[in-house]
Amino acid sequence: MTYNLAYDYSSIVLLVVLVFYYYATPKYKNFQNALFGLILVFNLVSCVMDVISAGFLLERMPDAIFLNRLVLSIYQFCQHSLSPMYFVYIIYIVYPDNGFEMLKKRWPILIPGFVVEFINISSVVTQWGFKYDVNGYGRTPFYFVSLAVMAFYMVLCLVYVFRHKSETGFLPKLVVVLYTFSAIVACILQFMYPYDLVICLAATVSIFSMYLALQNPILLKEALEDAENSRRAAEEANLAKSNFLANMSHEIRTPMNAICGMTYLLESTELRTDAKEYVDTIQNASESLLSLINEILDFSKVDAGKMNPKVSEYKTETLVRDVDALLRSVIEDKEIVTSIYVAPDVPKSMLGDVHMIKQILINLLNNAIKYTESGEVSLDLSVERKENNKVNLIIKVKDTGIGIKEEDLEKIFATFEQVDMAKNRRHEGTGLGLALVKAFCELMNGKVSVESSYGNGSTFTAVVEQEAVSEYPSDYFDKLKQFIYVVLENNPYTRRSIEKTLKSLGVTYTFSNSFEKHIFDKFKGVNYCLIYNDSQFKEAVSAVDTSDMPGLYKISRIGLNDAIPEDYKDVHYLRNPINVFSLCDSMTKAVVAEAKKEEQEVFFSNKVKVAIVDDNKVNLKVTSAILKRFGITAKTLISGYEMLDEFEVGENYDLIFMDHMMPDMDGVETVKRIRALHKGNSSSVPIVALTANAVTGVEKEYYDAGMNAVLFKPVNAEDLKKVLVKWLPASCRVEALPKE
Ligand code: ADP
């Protein structure tokens, strides 16, 4: 009868794979892991010895007594060491933190294991554990003792695992039950079929289940712990670096403060020209250094987790006005049109960290201007409603600058990243700005993103969560809604910006390329607003007399940094970047000033020279009497010829009132002749038609003849005042009625 070794062979295959895998897996060097490795190796050795003994020596070399005994005792030694090792391993599972202490306290439990091992290994000579001689293999009574010891350790494991309910989970229980069960089944089978060697397979299956259920999760946990420890170490190192940076920036700011302050003081003293230049250079350099330090400080605070949003209430209007001022300071003399659009549903005031929002705006707008040479930089503020008064404030900064390559889009938000260095060499920067924007957005439950077309421009969108405090519609919107708008604007960017704002207000508006009064005819309203591009339409607008349109308010649109000319004291202007607030400011100023003008008494110096030409003496008297109220003593002339004579003798008038219907030569003819005279100021003197002719279209004839304005009879003081204010130089005005 030969032994059936199939079970041993399959065990060996499984164990070889397991041993290799186990030792190839990274793990902690600790007792528990080493013990499990030992269990695997001992089991493998016992399987191999079993095969050598039962499959080869017993059959082919039965007379090699010593060799047979040696192999058998190694087999027994390895096989019987499994149960005490298994017990120790289970103790370490049940008491993961103090397995060693537990065993130290209960060390006598291990004695039976050692005794069995000693007897097994010594059986080579003593034959206590088993017998092998010329009659072959035989068991001794000790065999049953070793079986009992094995059972003893299994029962102990069961007791430990099931008694310590709280520490022991389901898997250790499953493993010990399986281990015990397979050992019992294996023993029974072995007794029943002594030639089928199943003991090794039973042990292998049990150990394999131990590996899967207990050891593998331990290794995984260790690996995770390892990763977590390295993450924590990296985080701590990063924190230390950030703290260092924060402290350093703080320390640097103190002397910087002194440098900036002293430079400022130095600048205000008397300096030689070259010294002044040096001081200016120091001042510029220290300012940029200070802003760099501020950025680093902010960033290191964010990194060190010390930057949390400081929530306070702020007004959208204040924010927009601050940004407006900021744009003015950074744009310098670039040919860029700027605009700010505030959607009508952006709350009037919000709760949030306005410092962070400003930093986001400053960085995005600074970049947009920095990387744009011409075209437009626009800011759009809108909101997205959320629950419980929460809103997402959406900040969109769009430019028509150099753009960013697709492959660089992800990189630009990383710290110290600057892309496209070849193209950007001219631009200074640290690569911190966008990293800060990203960090701030994330701190406020938002995010930042970018879309860009290389060579054409970029759009950055930052979203931050805020809380709405008070909602629109605000007074601003209401005020602006009272007007009908006519816009003369040739710049496409400004045109778009004005249109966007007007559209959002829901008002009536139209764009025009020239200025004629009849533009207003198509609208029905009482208040009109004329917004005109100062550089393109100033002349056209002033050439048209609108004094008969009391509800018309003119707003001159000027560039971001344009200087206001001296003679613009009475002109209301709207500066880029156009936004709802600045539009409202200009409108309010215009309305208030007009109202004041109407109320206010105006007086002119008695040096003002005004002529009235009318063939009707009563009319002459009435007009000159009204003019007297304004301090003007007018010269009365009864025909056009007399007026022409005045020029002939070298008289120059500041203003002429001209009747239309006169015998011999009417007013129109007279004006034509005056304009053709080229004597003194005859071609430029303002001439106002006085007419009783109310036929529509008559004004055109007057303007064509060279008159500047038209007054219809009966003339009233209010209309006359408007004409005087408009056509007499402001320098002729005096505070009070001049003495005769
Ligand atoms: P920097 O201080 O260099 O401007 P940022 O973090 O603000 O640092 O920006 C990182 C990089 O992103 C810049 O160096 C630039 O290459 C690119 N960038 C940022 N904004 C724009 C923009 N509006 N147009 C084109 N490139 C931009």
Side-chain angles (χ1 to χ4, degrees):
M1 195 71 179
T2 50
Y3 290 101
N4 178 1
L5 297 173
Y7 305 109
D8 274 347
Y9 289 141
S10 42
S11 294
I12 289 173
V13 172
L14 184 59
L15 284 167
V16 166
V17 173
L18 208 54
V19 167
F20 268 111
Y21 183 71
Y22 186 73
Y23 281 101
T25 315
K27 62 181 95 44
Y28 284 162
K29 281 198 172 86
N30 60 18
F31 178 74
Q32 190 177 340
N33 292 343
L35 183 64
F36 190 80
L38 217 57
I39 292 175
L40 286 177
V41 173
F42 272 44
N43 196 15
L44 179 62
V45 173
S46 82
C47 289
V48 173
M49 292 303 140
D50 204 20
V51 168
I52 295 173
S53 167
F56 182 74
L57 291 178
L58 285 181
E59 265 187 42
R60 311 240 175 125
M61 300 171 70
D63 300 335
I65 305 286
F66 181 75
L67 193 59
N68 268 295
R69 277 192 202 164
L70 182 66
V71 171
L72 275 168
S73 73
I74 295 175
Y75 163 75
Q76 294 280 8
F77 176 80
C78 288
Q79 190 55 243
H80 287 276
S81 69
L82 293 180
S83 48
M85 283 202 282
Y86 153 74
F87 164 72
V88 172
Y89 182 77
I90 291 295
I91 289 288
Y92 268 81
I93 293 288
V94 178
Y95 302 100
D97 300 325
N98 56 347
F100 181 69
E101 274 75 38
M102 290 302 294
L103 285 171
K104 216 164 93 180
K105 262 194 259 163
R106 297 168 173 76
W107 64 269
I109 293 178
L110 295 176
I111 293 175
F114 282 113
V115 171
V116 168
E117 288 302 79
F118 174 74
I119 289 177
N120 276 328
I121 202 74
S122 66
S123 289
V124 185
V125 279
T126 60
Q127 298 205 64
W128 288 340
F130 60 90
K131 273 198 314 209
Y132 187 84
D133 51 25
V134 283
N135 299 321
Y137 175 78
R139 288 177 182 141
T140 62
F142 180 75
Y143 177 75
F144 296 98
V145 175
S146 63
L147 275 189
V149 169
M150 193 174 88
F152 166 68
Y153 284 120
M154 283 182 193
V155 172
L156 272 185
C157 284
L158 280 167
V159 169
Y160 273 104
V161 167
F162 280 92
R163 218 178 55 187
H164 294 86
K165 285 193 184 75
S166 54
E167 291 97 335
T168 319
F170 168 73
L171 287 176
K173 287 176 188 152
L174 180 74
V175 166
V176 292
V177 169
L178 199 77
Y179 200 105
T180 315
F181 177 73
S182 69
I184 294 168
V185 171
C187 283
I188 295 169
L189 287 175
Q190 196 64 96
F191 276 110
M192 285 169 63
Y193 309 103
Y195 288 93
D196 285 327
L197 302 176
V198 291
I199 294 286
C200 284
L201 181 64
T204 304
V205 168
S206 305
I207 289 167
F208 189 52
S209 72
M210 271 164 78
Y211 177 79
L212 289 182
L214 304 178
Q215 189 60 16
N216 199 35
I218 289 175
L219 295 183
L220 276 178
K221 198 169 137 227
E222 284 170 1
L224 286 176
E225 262 171 27
D226 253 0
E228 176 60 20
N229 285 344
S230 3
R231 194 188 61 78
R232 217 172 289 141
E235 224 168 51
E236 272 164 22
N238 198 29
L239 193 70
K241 178 206 75 187
S242 298
N243 275 333
F244 170 74
L245 269 181
N247 291 340
M248 276 313 288
S249 330
H250 215 266
E251 291 306 311
I252 297 170
R253 277 157 69 90
T254 318
M256 274 308 296
N257 210 22
I259 296 173
C260 291
M262 288 299 153
T263 318
Y264 173 76
L265 291 179
L266 199 57
E267 207 186 22
S268 49
T269 61
E270 293 247 326
L271 289 173
R272 283 198 328 254
T273 324
D274 54 347
K276 194 169 165 3
E277 260 175 44
Y278 303 149
V279 171
D280 281 349
T281 315
I282 299 175
Q283 197 166 26
N284 288 341
S286 46
E287 269 167 18
S288 40
L289 187 57
L290 199 61
S291 74
L292 174 65
I293 292 167
N294 282 343
E295 272 192 354
I296 296 179
L297 183 64
D298 271 353
F299 195 79
S300 48
K301 272 195 202 154
V302 171
D303 225 23
K306 286 185 186 159
M307 192 92 165
N308 289 316
K310 289 190 193 69
V311 174
S312 63
E313 188 177 334
Y314 65 92
K315 282 190 179 165
T316 309
E317 180 192 340
T318 319
L319 181 69
V320 171
R321 287 187 193 282
D322 288 352
V323 173
D324 190 332
L326 164 90
L327 282 173
R328 199 150 308 159
S329 66
V330 290
I331 206 148
E332 292 169 351
D333 46 8
K334 280 192 176 178
E335 286 291 311
I336 303 176
V337 174
T338 52
S339 69
I340 303 175
Y341 168 72
V342 185
D345 59 343
V346 176
K348 196 167 161 184
S349 49
M350 289 183 269
L351 272 180
D353 189 329
V354 74
H355 164 74
M356 282 193 191
I357 294 186
K358 272 192 199 159
Q359 286 297 314
I360 293 175
L361 286 166
I362 290 172
N363 279 306
L364 293 182
L365 288 166
N366 260 337
N367 278 348
I369 291 167
K370 190 157 69 173
Y371 299 109
T372 305
E373 282 312 312
S374 63
E376 185 192 24
V377 168
S378 68
L379 165 68
D380 259 36
L381 293 180
S382 57
V383 286
E384 202 177 70
R385 301 277 148 182
K386 294 169 91 177
E387 291 168 350
N388 302 334
N389 283 346
K390 291 264 191 281
V391 292
N392 270 342
L393 177 65
I394 304 168
I395 300 167
K396 204 172 253 189
V397 175
K398 197 170 162 190
D399 67 58
T400 54
I402 57 172
I404 304 160
K405 285 185 188 152
E406 176 116 29
E407 64 264 29
D408 291 333
L409 284 179
E410 274 304 307
K411 281 192 232 157
I412 56 171
F413 294 105
T415 330
F416 304 113
E417 272 290 351
Q418 288 181 300
V419 295
D420 213 356
M421 296 304 277
K423 215 168 172 183
N424 289 353
R425 232 189 335 252
R426 287 180 301 134
H427 305 294
E428 288 174 7
T430 55
L432 261 183
L434 288 178
L436 258 185
V437 169
K438 182 166 182 265
F440 284 165
C441 286
E442 283 166 5
L443 280 172
M444 290 187 276
N445 298 334
K447 59 178 193 285
V448 60
S449 58
V450 59
E451 279 169 34
S452 190
S453 152
Y454 191 54
N456 296 321
S458 322
T459 305
F460 283 82
T461 309
V463 179
V464 292
E465 191 184 78
Q466 306 286 287
E467 193 177 324
V469 179
S470 118
E471 297 287 342
Y472 276 128
S474 84
D475 320 344
Y476 284 96
F477 287 77
D478 287 346
K479 272 187 194 165
L480 292 171
K481 277 181 178 166
Q482 295 166 11
F483 296 87
I484 289 168
Y485 295 81
V486 172
V487 187
L488 310 179
E489 180 62 72
N490 285 348
N491 185 308
Y493 297 117
T494 312
R495 214 176 150 117
R496 213 174 327 131
S497 154
I498 296 179
E499 177 157 27
K500 206 167 171 188
T501 296
L502 293 180
K503 207 175 200 169
S504 74
L505 290 169
V507 295
T508 309
Y509 63 89
T510 185
F511 283 90
S512 176
N513 290 325
S514 62
F515 182 51
E516 282 152 51
K517 268 163 78 176
H518 65 78
I519 303 176
F520 298 94
D521 295 348
K522 49 183 170 174
F523 304 114
K524 283 209 164 54
V526 275
N527 292 319
Y528 300 96
C529 171
L530 175 72
I531 303 173
Y532 62 95
N533 178 327
D534 194 77
S535 59
Q536 291 162 336
F537 292 96
K538 183 176 161 187
E539 311 290 317
V541 169
S542 55
V544 179
D545 177 19
T546 51
S547 54
D548 55 337
M549 295 185 68
L552 174 67
Y553 300 91
K554 295 182 200 167
I555 306 279
S556 151
R557 206 278 300 156
I558 60 174
L560 183 74
N561 282 325
D562 287 356
I564 315 278
E566 279 284 302
D567 58 343
Y568 264 36
K569 246 190 289 165
D570 290 334
V571 175
H572 304 290
Y573 54 86
L574 176 62
R575 212 185 253 292
N576 276 5
I578 287 159
N579 61 74
V580 69
F581 302 108
S582 61
L583 178 61
C584 190
D585 285 350
S586 310
M587 290 304 300
T588 313
K589 274 190 202 144
V591 173
V592 169
E594 282 305 315
K596 266 199 192 142
K597 233 191 249 172
E598 273 167 27
E599 284 162 20
Q600 196 187 302
E601 287 289 321
V602 292
F603 303 109
F604 293 87
S605 129
N606 48 16
K607 296 208 174 62
V608 172
K609 290 184 73 179
V610 174
I612 314 167
V613 186
D614 200 323
D615 61 318
N616 183 316
K617 291 211 173 106
V618 180
N619 280 349
L620 280 177
K621 227 184 208 162
V622 171
T623 313
S624 41
I626 302 176
L627 285 175
K628 261 254 162 352
R629 278 172 45 187
F630 300 107
I632 295 169
T633 312
K635 174 116 184 184
T636 51
L637 304 164
I638 53 162
S639 74
Y641 296 108
E642 281 190 16
M643 188 68 242
L644 287 169
D645 287 346
E646 290 290 305
F647 282 106
E648 291 296 345
V649 298
E651 289 289 348
N652 276 332
Y653 285 88
D654 295 308
L655 183 65
I656 298 169
F657 290 97
M658 180 71 65
D659 182 26
H660 180 195
M661 296 299 179
M662 288 185 291
D664 298 338
M665 185 165 70
D666 69 5
V668 173
E669 182 58 30
T670 313
V671 173
K672 278 185 188 160
R673 288 201 192 181
I674 293 172
R675 293 302 187 207
L677 205 56
H678 300 300
K679 281 264 161 68
N681 70 347
S682 73
S683 44
S684 63
V685 58
I687 305 177
V688 180
L690 282 176
T691 178
N693 187 351
V695 179
T696 47
V698 74
E699 290 109 312
K700 188 168 183 315
E701 193 187 345
Y702 300 146
Y703 291 126
D704 288 349
M707 298 204 210
N708 302 85
V710 181
L711 276 181
F712 293 95
K713 289 176 186 170
V715 178
N716 68 40
E718 220 28 71
D719 291 345
L720 207 55
K721 184 170 88 179
K722 275 188 199 148
V723 168
L724 295 174
V725 167
K726 178 149 188 202
W727 293 105
L728 284 175
S731 56
C732 300
R733 303 259 286 268
V734 290
E735 294 291 310
L737 200 59
K739 291 199 177 77
E740 287 292 313

